[in-house]
């Protein structure tokens, strides 16, 4: 690896070994009770199987339903930066046209070997094509769009099945086909259903997309046929059956069951078919029923029969993230008419603020920690705090700023950016936390490539570490670190950057809500790092396996969210503010925009 430039941050981590490694180990494992690494929460902890932990209920004392609870955004001038915007369009073309050349219609693309693969051996379901269509529509790439539409019309089929050996889940008394013909309910919904619905809207209601969306939704609806109504995580689209997880057949993940609602509710609105809405809403009713009153944190697993939470991790990262994201967005989607989501969202952010948000000891970087349940030697349940933050969590900074503006204002029109007196005290708190989280996510881009790793850990009080400053950063070089990264060793999984969008998503929202040019600058920095370190000359972009290694070692994979999310949010960041304004659209978790509407003849559950 000669010629490898390792930035000072990492070099320092490496030189402070070997105790470094064991300290890193400790800070996530904990060394004993009362060490500060365990957070003792909650009296009483009700922990009979199926019941939920209960720490302190938080009062929702915020202004709810007051006349200013639904403010508008003040008009400000935000014009396009056409040069940068056009550079993003060029990047999209570089990605899309390589895929089209080498793998048109396949679900996934491998830009180095220039090949496509499908999620199942039975055949593709338009994962990449449909995920990319609305970005082409926004960017005005008419010819590429026409070819993609043509593919949807002539080639797309959801009737994918094949004979594979069956296996059984005895306890639930079901047998089903091997994983190979199963599609993830979540991914199919957010990418394919969400993509079709956005394409329908942005095309001016081209019924091709709506027909396909209805067909797909009808194939996935049977996943909701469970004792609790919480859907199974997988679906056989040809047989129209929901399939439990092979390893954890009794459980469903909270984020997976609560990230289908925007799509199904919009489809219901378009078709007047109430079933989509009812099944999606019922999931939220079950979740609300399983949470103690006024309590906002959900564990990442639920029991599919009882509909109760089970003791498992609490986090904003994987399997938790989009539950919180969709609470706010469900409230926004129906034009802030369903106060139940306002209340659930408020309780969630209050609890996140109270329990999960932490400050790194030296630089005071705000991050969200994770909790894992653990039995003490005398059989009690305790919660172990881990100062770990997934890149996935970086959506949350922008989301908090949006939530503060849209749900916690004291005036009828909120300035851009909001003035302190225009927000409730809770609103101010959320806004500040949001801004700080965006800053933290930017700090995690302080790597040799300027790209942020998949997972970072933060130092905790009591950790000994080097607080010297990095030459070109005002953050102490080792306030955060990549666990297990050591010079001369293969990079850990956490060190990779897989073209993820969450930071630029927050930058886009933060920019729209503030007009502050620093967000465009940060987005441009990230874009340039992607160009420099992920771009494949022959076409496409690849994941990099170590953000601290230059030149990068690439993995032969271009995730579909590069085209549906990362490049879309960058494009929007440099567009003028009338392109998909935040008071008229919600973005699903795969960045497919859906129009806000006011429901008629429906009242939300409460
Ligand atoms: C993927 O599936 C599509 C649609 O069934 C098929 O046309 C294509 O050949 C498949 N690609 C590969 C690499 O198997
Ligand atoms: C399992 O299902 C089969 C049919 O699907 C049924 O005949 C059988 O009685 C069931 N067994 C149990 C234990 O419920
Ligand atoms: C949302 O509600 C407001 C009234 O509170 C109304 O003026 C506006 O037109 C509605 N927007 C949509 C998209 O229905």
């Amino acid at each position: 690896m000669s010629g490898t430039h390792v930035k000072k941050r990492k070099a320092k981590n490496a030189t402070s070994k070997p105790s470094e490694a064991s300290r890193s180990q400790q800070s996530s494992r904990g060394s004993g009770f009362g060490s500060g690494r365990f957070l003792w929460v909650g009296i009483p902890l009700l922990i009979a199987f199926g019941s939920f932990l209960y720490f302190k209920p938080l009062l929702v004392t915020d202004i709810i339903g007051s006349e200013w609870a639904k403010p508008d955004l003040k008009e400000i001038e935000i014009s396009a930066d056409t040069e940068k915007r056009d550079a993003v369009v060029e990047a999209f073309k570089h990605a899309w046209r390589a895929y089209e050349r080498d793998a048109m219609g396949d679900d996934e693309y491998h830009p180095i070997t220039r090949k496509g693969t499908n999620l199942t051996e039975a055949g593709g379901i338009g994962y990449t094509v449909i995920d990319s269509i609305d970005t082409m529509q926004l960017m005005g790439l008419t010819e590429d769009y026409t070819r993609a539409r043509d593919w949807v019309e002539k080639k797309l089929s959801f009737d994918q099945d094949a004979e594979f050996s069956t296996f059984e889940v005895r306890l639930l008394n079901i047998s089903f086909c091997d994983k190979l013909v199963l599609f993830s309910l979540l991914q199919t919904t957010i990418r394919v259903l969400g993509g079709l619905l956005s394409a329908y809207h942005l095309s001016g209601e081209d019924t091709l997309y709506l027909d396909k969306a209805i067909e797909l939704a009808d194939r996935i609806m049977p996943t909701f046929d469970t004792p609790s109504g919480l859907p199974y995580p997988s679906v056989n689209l040809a047989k129209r059956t929901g399939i439990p997880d092979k390893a954890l057949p009794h459980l469903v993940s909270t984020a997976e069951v609560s990230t289908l609602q925007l799509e199904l509710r919009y489809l219901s609105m378009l078709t007047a078919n109430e079933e989509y809405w009812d099944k999606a809403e019922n999931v939220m009713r079950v979740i609300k029923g399983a949470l103690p009153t006024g309590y906002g944190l959900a564990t990442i697993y639920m029991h599919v029969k009882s509909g109760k939470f089970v003791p498992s991790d609490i986090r904003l990262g994987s399997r938790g993230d989009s539950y919180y994201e969709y609470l706010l967005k469900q409230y926004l989607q129906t034009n802030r008419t369903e106060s139940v989501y306002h209340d659930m969202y408020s309780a969630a952010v209050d609890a996140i603020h109270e329990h999960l948000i932490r400050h790194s000891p030296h630089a005071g970087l705000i991050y969200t920690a994770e909790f894992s349940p653990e039995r003490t030697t005398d059989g009690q349940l305790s919660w172990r705090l881990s100062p770990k933050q997934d890149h996935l969590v970086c959506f949350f900074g922008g989301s908090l700023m949006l939530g503060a503006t849209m749900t916690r204002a004291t005036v009828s029109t909120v300035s851009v950016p909001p003035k302190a007196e225009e927000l409730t005290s809770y609103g101010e708190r959320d806004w500040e936390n949001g801004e700080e989280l965006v800053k933290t996510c930017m700090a995690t881009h302080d790597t040799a490539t300027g790209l942020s790793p998949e997972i970072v850990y933060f130092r905790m009080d009591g950790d000994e570490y080097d607080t010297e400053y990095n030459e070109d950063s005002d953050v102490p070089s080792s306030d955060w670190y990549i666990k297990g990264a050591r010079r001369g060793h293969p990079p850990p999984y956490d060190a990779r950057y897989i073209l993820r969008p969450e930071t630029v998503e927050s930058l886009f929202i933060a920019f729209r809500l503030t007009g502050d040019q620093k967000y465009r600058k940060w987005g441009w920095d990230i874009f340039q790092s992607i160009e420099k370190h992920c771009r494949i000359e022959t076409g496409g972009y690849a994941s990099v396996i170590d953000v601290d290694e230059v030149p990068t070692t690439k993995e032969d994979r271009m995730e579909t969210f590069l085209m549906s999310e990362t490049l879309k949010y960058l494009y929007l960041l440099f567009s003028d503010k009338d392109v998909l304004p935040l008071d008229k659209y919600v973005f699903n978790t795969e960045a497919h925009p859906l129009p806000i509407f006011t429901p008629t003849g429906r009242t939300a559950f409460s």
Side-chain angles (χ1 to χ4, degrees):
M1 285 209 297
S2 64
T4 296
H5 164 71
V6 177
K7 237 192 166 176
K8 213 170 156 210
R9 176 181 61 73
K10 187 170 174 205
K12 254 188 251 149
N13 282 355
T15 51
S16 57
K17 56 147 182 56
S19 53
E20 177 70 29
S22 51
R23 272 203 308 278
S24 312
Q25 201 71 11
Q26 266 185 15
S27 48
S28 65
R29 291 260 151 244
S31 53
F33 305 124
S35 69
R37 307 191 198 293
F38 286 86
L39 191 82
W40 287 88
V41 281
I43 358 151
L45 284 166
L46 307 169
I47 219 57
F49 182 69
S51 75
F52 187 60
L53 60 126
Y54 186 65
F55 357 139
K56 173 174 126 198
L58 294 161
L59 295 176
V60 185
T61 50
D62 211 8
I63 298 176
I64 291 170
S66 92
E67 63 180 311
W68 305 132
K70 300 173 191 171
D72 295 324
L73 290 177
K74 208 169 260 173
E75 289 283 314
I76 64 151
E77 211 35 65
I78 291 182
S79 52
D81 182 332
T82 49
E83 201 180 305
K84 296 193 170 67
R85 189 193 63 191
D86 293 350
V88 176
V89 175
E90 285 308 310
F92 180 87
K93 291 200 287 204
H94 186 71
W96 168 259
R97 290 183 185 171
Y99 163 78
E100 191 182 12
R101 175 193 67 201
D102 301 332
M104 183 62 184
D106 296 345
D107 289 331
E108 299 182 301
Y109 180 46
H110 309 282
I112 298 173
T113 52
R114 299 178 49 173
K115 283 194 170 66
T117 49
N118 288 321
L119 296 168
T120 79
E121 287 181 13
I125 54 166
Y127 232 49
T128 297
V129 178
I130 294 169
D131 222 11
S132 309
I133 284 181
D134 60 5
T135 310
M136 293 176 211
Q137 291 171 308
L138 282 172
M139 291 180 172
L141 297 172
T142 316
E143 286 170 19
D144 303 79
Y145 167 73
T146 307
R147 294 194 298 273
R149 184 195 179 281
D150 210 47
W151 185 89
V152 173
E153 185 173 17
K154 304 207 171 93
K155 301 272 178 62
L156 175 64
S157 166
F158 297 127
D159 206 16
Q160 304 295 8
D161 197 14
E163 286 308 317
F164 290 98
S165 62
T166 59
F167 63 98
E168 285 177 60
V169 176
R170 291 242 158 68
L171 281 162
L172 293 174
N173 195 22
I174 12 178
S175 65
F176 47 84
C177 290
D178 202 72
K179 206 114 197 166
L180 287 168
V181 286
L182 309 182
F183 293 95
S184 150
L185 173 66
L186 173 75
Q187 298 300 335
T188 306
T189 304
I190 66 175
R191 295 179 198 221
V192 188
L193 185 60
L196 288 167
L197 291 170
S198 287
Y200 172 71
H201 173 76
L202 294 175
S203 64
E205 310 195 345
D206 179 341
T207 52
L208 168 69
Y209 300 115
L210 184 59
D211 292 344
K212 295 285 182 194
I214 293 169
E215 186 199 332
L216 179 60
D218 291 344
R219 288 173 187 273
I220 67 181
M221 289 323 280
T223 58
F224 290 87
D225 296 338
T226 65
S228 62
L230 299 177
Y232 284 130
S234 300
V235 57
N236 180 316
L237 293 173
K239 294 207 165 70
R240 299 175 192 241
T241 44
I243 314 286
D245 185 83
K246 202 172 177 177
L248 299 169
H250 300 285
L251 303 185
V252 294
S253 101
T254 307
E256 285 190 16
V257 300
S258 60
T259 312
L260 319 156
Q261 283 69 19
L262 294 180
E263 296 80 1
L264 289 173
R265 288 166 10 135
Y266 182 52
L267 182 63
S268 176
M269 197 279 285
L270 292 174
T271 58
N273 180 342
E274 295 276 312
E275 187 197 353
Y276 306 134
W277 193 302
D278 292 341
K279 296 242 159 102
E281 184 178 64
N282 181 55
V283 171
M284 301 311 296
R285 185 186 287 114
V286 171
I287 290 176
K288 185 163 182 281
L291 288 170
T293 312
Y295 185 75
L297 289 180
T299 60
I300 59 169
Y301 285 110
M302 301 185 76
H303 198 281
V304 72
K305 264 192 184 161
S306 67
K308 303 282 191 223
F309 285 99
V310 296
S312 48
D313 290 1
I314 292 180
R315 60 178 179 230
L316 286 180
S318 66
R319 297 187 184 278
D321 50 357
S322 45
Y323 165 67
Y324 302 97
E325 177 186 354
Y326 270 36
L327 284 182
L328 174 63
K329 288 179 172 177
Q330 287 181 80
Y331 178 59
L332 299 180
Q333 180 185 30
T334 46
N335 202 11
R336 293 176 277 181
T337 55
E338 298 175 287
S339 61
V340 61
Y341 296 115
H342 179 290
D343 299 353
M344 289 176 79
Y345 173 74
S346 298
V349 289
D350 291 347
I352 288 167
H353 177 78
E354 181 120 336
H355 299 292
L356 301 191
I357 287 190
R358 305 272 142 173
H359 298 74
S360 70
H362 195 90
L365 294 174
I366 280 193
Y367 64 96
T368 63
E370 302 186 352
F371 283 106
S372 306
E374 198 166 78
R375 293 231 176 255
T376 63
T377 41
D378 56 359
Q380 302 266 21
L381 189 91
S382 74
W383 291 89
R384 189 183 64 209
L385 182 146
S386 169
K388 159 177 179 277
Q389 184 172 285
D390 295 354
H391 184 111
L392 286 170
V393 176
C394 289
F395 84 93
F396 192 57
S399 180
L400 273 176
M401 293 168 79
L402 185 65
T405 314
M406 295 291 182
T407 74
R408 291 181 148 172
T410 57
V411 291
S412 60
T413 308
V414 176
S415 304
V416 176
K419 299 190 173 75
E421 67 271 17
E422 294 172 348
L423 301 178
T424 65
S425 56
Y426 288 86
E428 263 187 86
R429 178 200 70 191
D430 292 350
W431 178 270
E432 279 165 21
N433 282 341
E435 280 187 314
E436 290 300 318
L437 274 171
V438 176
K439 267 193 219 158
T440 302
C441 287
M442 288 313 298
T444 66
H445 287 72
D446 180 23
T447 59
T449 54
L451 299 167
S452 78
E454 179 75 357
I455 297 172
V456 297
Y457 281 78
F458 292 84
R459 303 292 173 186
M460 297 182 52
D461 278 332
D463 286 357
E464 287 165 38
Y465 67 99
D466 180 359
T467 53
E468 255 182 74
Y469 284 72
N470 204 324
E471 60 222 286
D472 48 17
S473 158
D474 56 1
V475 172
S477 50
S478 45
D479 235 40
W480 62 270
Y481 60 97
I482 301 168
K483 192 172 171 185
R486 290 170 64 193
R487 176 176 281 199
H489 290 256
Y493 180 84
D494 296 5
R496 61 188 51 217
Y497 173 67
I498 61 167
L499 306 167
R500 283 206 187 277
E502 284 75 16
T503 303
V504 293
E505 169 181 352
S506 276
L507 294 177
F508 155 65
I509 292 170
F511 180 65
R512 285 283 177 92
L513 295 176
T514 60
D516 187 336
Q517 293 294 333
K518 81 176 174 213
Y519 295 114
R520 274 189 169 168
K521 181 190 173 298
W522 289 346
W524 184 243
D525 290 346
I526 292 174
F527 176 69
Q528 285 180 304
S529 295
I530 293 173
E531 283 290 300
K532 193 160 166 201
H533 299 294
C534 306
R535 184 181 165 101
I536 305 289
E537 271 322 303
T538 51
Y541 293 80
S543 306
V544 306
I545 66 162
D546 183 357
V547 294
D548 269 323
E549 183 199 30
V550 175
T552 50
T553 305
K554 297 181 178 70
E555 191 187 29
D556 190 14
R557 222 181 141 75
M558 183 173 97
E559 296 282 351
T560 72
F561 48 68
L562 172 76
M563 293 194 286
S564 68
E565 298 192 69
T566 312
L567 295 176
K568 184 188 285 144
Y569 283 127
L570 283 165
Y571 175 84
L572 291 170
L573 177 63
F574 297 113
S575 298
D576 75 60
K577 69 164 176 22
D578 296 327
V579 184
L580 302 180
L582 291 177
D583 52 4
K584 298 210 165 54
Y585 287 90
V586 284
F587 291 83
N588 89 341
T589 192
E590 187 75 4
H592 296 303
L594 302 172
I596 287 171
F597 61 92
T598 308
T600 48
R602 270 202 84 96
T603 46
F605 81 100
S606 55

